[in-house]
């Protein structure tokens, strides 16, 4: 309603200017024309301000939308980084558990392997019946003692023992009695 009133008032001033010019009252025509031009300029300025305000609000709306989209992308990025961080921690824990398991397994395997090696060495170097060193262990120990004796210039002593007529015990009383006799002889010597 106000706009229609302003347009009507503007047109009225234009007609007034034209009427005054026809009558020859150029001063009144000029003043009416200036009023018309001022009103027209105000209307143009108002329209320009409205367009500027509309453009400004559109620009602000687009800028806010762009900010929202940017914040959404940043939020998504932070969420992805948090998920990645959580997965890295989970992978680190899993790797630690796996390495701990492997290390523990290797330690157990090493311990058992060492025990088995010692057991096999003992079985390989020990007589099963008498539990004393067998011939290969005797030769190995004798070499070590002789080498130490030569380095330190210490004499070595070797004692040989023989059980007389042992074959007669085996033949007369059996191998079990012969085994028992060997075990007792070794226990007495030790």
């Amino acid at each position: 309603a106000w706009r229609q009133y302003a347009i009507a008032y503007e047109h009225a001033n234009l007609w007034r200017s034209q009427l005054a010019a026809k009558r020859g009252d150029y001063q009144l025509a000029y003043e009416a024309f200036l009023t018309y031009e001022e009103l027209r300029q105000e209307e143009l300025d108002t329209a320009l301000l409205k367009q500027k305000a509309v453009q400004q609000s559109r620009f602000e709306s687009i800028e806010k939308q762009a900010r929202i989209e940017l914040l959404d992308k940043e939020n998504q990025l932070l969420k992805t980084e948090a998920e990645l961080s959580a997965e890295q921690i989970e992978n680190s824990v899993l790797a630690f558990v796996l390495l701990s398991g492997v290390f523990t397994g290797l330690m157990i395997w090493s311990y058992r392997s060492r025990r088995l090696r010692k057991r096999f060495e003992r079985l390989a170097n020990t007589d099963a019946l008498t539990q004393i060193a067998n011939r290969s262990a005797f030769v190995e120990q004798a070499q070590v003692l002789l080498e130490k004796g030569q380095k330190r210039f210490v004499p070595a002593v070797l004692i040989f023992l023989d059980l007389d007529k042992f074959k007669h015990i085996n033949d007369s009383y059996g191998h079990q009695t012969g085994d028992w006799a060997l075990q007792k002889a070794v226990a007495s010597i030790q």
Side-chain angles (χ1 to χ4, degrees):
W2 180 82
R3 178 150 167 64
Q4 289 174 347
Y5 171 75
I7 291 172
Y9 184 68
E10 183 180 307
H11 287 288
N13 273 318
L14 181 62
W15 290 328
R16 201 170 116 203
S17 168
Q18 290 172 348
L19 277 175
K22 283 183 185 177
R23 282 192 228 148
D25 189 1
Y26 296 113
Q27 181 65 31
L28 180 63
Y30 179 71
E31 288 174 5
F33 183 74
L34 283 179
T35 303
Y36 165 76
E37 281 297 316
E38 284 178 11
L39 289 173
R40 207 174 125 210
Q41 188 62 41
E42 282 181 20
E43 186 179 338
L44 287 174
D45 289 346
T46 303
L48 185 63
L49 283 174
K50 284 181 183 177
Q51 284 182 348
K52 189 177 179 183
V54 167
Q55 290 296 329
Q56 182 69 26
S57 73
R58 283 182 185 164
F59 176 74
E60 288 174 358
S61 174
I62 290 170
E63 184 182 22
K64 285 180 183 177
Q65 186 63 32
R67 281 187 194 162
I68 289 171
E69 289 174 5
L70 180 63
L71 289 173
D72 284 344
K73 288 180 181 180
E74 286 179 359
N75 191 18
Q76 185 65 30
L77 179 63
L78 289 173
K79 185 178 177 183
T80 303
E81 286 176 351
E83 289 172 357
L84 180 62
S85 217
E87 285 182 19
Q88 285 176 340
I89 290 172
E90 186 177 308
N91 287 343
S92 295
V93 168
L94 185 61
F96 177 75
V97 168
L98 182 64
L99 286 175
S100 296
V102 168
F103 180 73
T104 303
L106 285 174
M107 292 301 291
I108 291 170
W109 178 79
S110 173
Y111 175 73
R112 285 186 173 181
S113 175
R114 192 172 347 132
R115 280 185 50 203
L116 281 173
R117 186 174 45 85
K118 286 183 179 180
R119 182 172 177 226
F120 288 144
E121 282 179 8
R122 191 181 80 244
L123 288 173
N125 294 328
T126 306
D127 178 60
L129 179 66
T130 59
Q131 299 300 313
I132 60 172
N134 62 15
R135 182 178 180 167
S136 65
F138 167 75
V139 170
E140 189 178 312
Q141 288 177 6
Q143 285 177 344
V144 169
L145 287 174
L146 288 173
E147 287 175 9
K148 282 183 182 179
Q150 286 177 347
K151 285 180 185 177
R152 297 181 186 165
F153 301 106
V154 176
V157 176
L158 179 62
I159 301 173
F160 283 99
L161 298 175
D162 185 26
L163 298 178
D164 290 335
K165 300 183 184 178
F166 182 73
K167 185 175 180 340
H168 175 69
I169 294 173
N170 272 340
D171 292 342
S172 300
Y173 302 105
H175 287 284
Q176 284 185 331
T177 306
D179 290 347
W180 177 83
L182 276 176
Q183 289 172 335
K184 291 297 179 184
V186 166
S188 298
I189 295 169
Q190 287 180 332

